[in-house]
Amino acid sequence: MSLQGSVTPPGDKSISHRAGLFSLLASGICRVANFSPCADCASTLAAVESLGGKVEREGGEVILHGAQGKLISAAVDCGNSGTTMRLLMGLLAGRPGSYALDGDASLRRRPMARVADPLTRMGAKVSTSEGRPPVTIEGAQLTGQRHELAVASAQLKSALLLAGVQAVGETLVIEPHLSRDHTERLLAAMGADIAQAEGGWRVRQSDLEQLPRLRVPGDVSAAAFLLVGALITPGSRVTTLGVGLNPGRVGLITVLQRMGSKLEVSQEGDEPEPWGRVSAAYAPELKATEVLASEIPLLVDEVPILALAATQAQGTTVLRSIGELRVKESDRIAAIVTQLGALGARLWEEGDDLFIAGPTPLKPQGSYDSYGDHRIAMTLAMAGALCGQTLEVADAACAGVSYPDFYRDLEALQQ
Ligand code: S3P
């Protein structure tokens, strides 16, 4: 069974989170079109409301009323969303009040000291439960600091920049490798005093004003599953429409092109960020590649689906320094190795590197586990599509964390 047709993926999750959360600090009213319908962004909007922000929904748009930093003390449930929790940590650290942040069992396993520690150096009063959620915050006056991050993480960088727009003095954030810059772009558009400096970003205390309108591009990380499905499934051709093409998010496209696939990318706009269409057709001669540590942040959410593509490529693909994947919604390295391995793929880890030998025909047998991780669930669904079957996957519905209509869109493409 091949995949044929075009799909408009949901609004970008990262940009939707930021639009929602930044409204807490800003003045003005923003009408957001194509706000992500995913469960994670619903957690963000619920958090905004519980902190005193006003959110309305009208004709498919989300209307955010700026709270101008006048927040109410609250206990916030961040659900499964690391972005909600980490960005809120930086945002709330500088607001007067008491806040408690918690989440589901997966979020409770994720590291928060990487955010709490640098915030503490800025004067924040943040405590974690041995480095993990629940997190409590007593708002304090923050002072700008220079931060050199040990990990390339857009969530950590964003938390520190959000603290920085409220801090006295200058805050500088330098990453070991560049990660997505949605926060920097949106803060700049909202009037923040932010600029590139020393290979990173420096920000000063700023008043923020919301854009009157924001149209969120489609989520390229959601599109990625269907595009890879088309590349590896004989006879397929899929076009994804209106997807974000932020350079910090298109590492998968670069790597797949290097592997010999003819992905066609055409940019059709640049507001609020570059966006356009991406088409993929069956690529029978994919070649293995080495993905460098500096490329990983540009495709960090696409590693599971890239690993599936690599099982069909000639030679051994190496993904370097993917240790961060151990602390995502699941231990994604373990999940990839066990679940693709159970399908017959030849792959193994060495330290923080992942090796995938191909091409290997996949042979479904028995049942599979998403580990409650949306990106693992969608990767397994695409492996099933390649084999012309629907795999039995525990908690397959968790795809709704980022892509609620994923199974419907996949079914519509199957011919
Ligand atoms: C995100 C950053 C990435 C990514 C996550 C969303 C963001 O996490 O994996 O899905 O919106 O900033 P890290 O910052 O932990 O790399």
Side-chain angles (χ1 to χ4, degrees), residues 13-15 17-18 83 86-87 110 114 152-158 179-180 182-183 249 300-301 324 328-329 332 374-375:
K13 182 159 88 72
S14 288
I15 298 175
H17 278 305
R18 285 158 173 79
T83 311
R86 294 196 175 119
L87 269 59
R110 300 185 66 185
R114 58 174 61 187
S153 159
Q155 293 178 354
L156 169 54
K157 172 179 63 175
S158 300
S179 67
R180 64 191 71 188
H182 305 301
T183 293
R249 296 287 298 282
V300 64
D301 292 333
E324 270 297 290
K328 294 291 180 189
E329 287 82 330
R332 284 189 179 153
H374 53 129
R375 302 204 196 274

Side-chain angles (χ1 to χ4, degrees), residues 7 17 149 155 168 185 216 244 262 334 347 370 380 382 388 395:
V7 174
H17 278 305
L149 309 185
Q155 293 178 354
V168 176
R185 287 174 188 252
V216 179
K262 289 189 185 60
L347 73 176
S370 68
L380 288 169
M382 297 319 303
D395 198 5

